Amino acid sequence: MERKRMSNTGELGYLFDWVESVQVKVRELVGEWKDREGNLIMILHAIQNEFGYVPRGVANELAKELGISLARIYEVITFYHYFRLVPPGQHNVQVCTGTACYLKGSSELIEELEKRLGVTEGEALPDSEFHLETVRCIGCCGMAPAIVIDGETHGRLCQKDVAGILENQRRGKRV
């Protein structure tokens, strides 16, 4: 969703504009999916595609429009690993924790990434450069343990590989 420019009333005006645009967008999505089975998940997908995550204010609007509790929406959001409750970072680092990756050391990769990035799993750096998360399986068991950064898979890793991968990602950003 494109952010509107600040109105004549400053930050408060911007906030009102944002709330109004959220209400319009949620009504539009609910109207599109209202009578379809499994609509909550499809609407949440659309919201996450729009915002990059599911903001609390948007979840509140969705609850009002669908006539369901906010708790029900959070049940779904927190059940499915796909949905995010915080904005993603500029670079998304996903560590596979599937069986093969787990057995071959994904937990050591997570420890190294947490140490090097200064965040814990599920968090983004304050500057939002990197977001670290774990995923159940990326389907690359033959490359275990593996991570995915911005859609690029890196496999057969050990802890000492992490620093170089992050540095290359940072350098790529500057180019």
Side-chain angles (χ1 to χ4, degrees):
M1 173 176 289
E2 184 177 326
R3 302 241 172 186
K4 292 183 176 180
R5 292 186 340 201
M6 191 177 296
S7 69
N8 293 342
T9 55
E11 290 293 322
L12 192 55
Y14 171 78
L15 181 61
F16 287 134
D17 290 346
W18 186 82
V19 169
E20 185 178 320
S21 69
V22 165
Q23 289 170 331
V24 168
K25 186 66 184 173
V26 169
R27 274 189 223 120
E28 177 185 308
L29 291 170
V30 169
E32 183 180 336
W33 291 96
K34 190 170 188 154
D35 298 325
R36 297 185 189 180
E37 192 170 323
N39 62 1
L40 178 55
I41 290 176
M42 298 313 293
I43 293 169
L44 288 171
H45 272 272
I47 288 170
Q48 185 156 300
N49 288 340
E50 187 81 22
F51 296 94
Y53 71 112
V54 181
R56 185 173 178 89
V58 175
N60 273 327
E61 284 301 315
L62 181 58
K64 288 179 200 170
E65 286 297 319
L66 287 177
I68 62 175
S69 71
L70 184 60
R72 176 67 187 134
I73 291 173
Y74 274 84
E75 283 175 352
V76 173
I77 292 172
T78 57
F79 180 80
Y80 292 103
H81 195 268
Y82 172 80
F83 296 116
R84 294 187 178 135
L85 292 169
V86 295
Q90 183 179 2
H91 300 288
N92 191 31
V93 180
Q94 298 175 315
V95 181
C96 181
T97 58
T99 303
C101 287
Y102 177 79
L103 292 174
K104 291 195 169 190
S106 64
S107 60
E108 293 164 1
L109 296 178
I110 294 169
E111 284 176 24
E112 187 68 18
L113 285 162
E114 287 178 339
K115 185 176 98 183
R116 295 219 171 257
L117 295 175
V119 297
T120 59
E121 191 277 323
E123 291 182 339
L125 288 172
D127 65 2
S128 296
E129 183 180 15
F130 286 97
H131 181 99
L132 176 62
E133 65 183 357
T134 59
V135 294
R136 299 280 184 237
C137 183
I138 59 172
C140 296
C141 299
M143 297 172 63
I147 65 174
V148 177
I149 301 179
D150 297 339
E152 184 179 347
T153 304
H154 303 266
R156 297 184 184 96
L157 300 175
C158 60
Q159 280 181 302
K160 68 177 175 54
D161 299 325
V162 169
I165 291 171
L166 292 176
E167 188 56 38
N168 285 339
Q169 198 66 35
R170 283 186 169 119
R171 269 194 243 131
K173 178 182 161 191
R174 288 186 219 135
V175 175

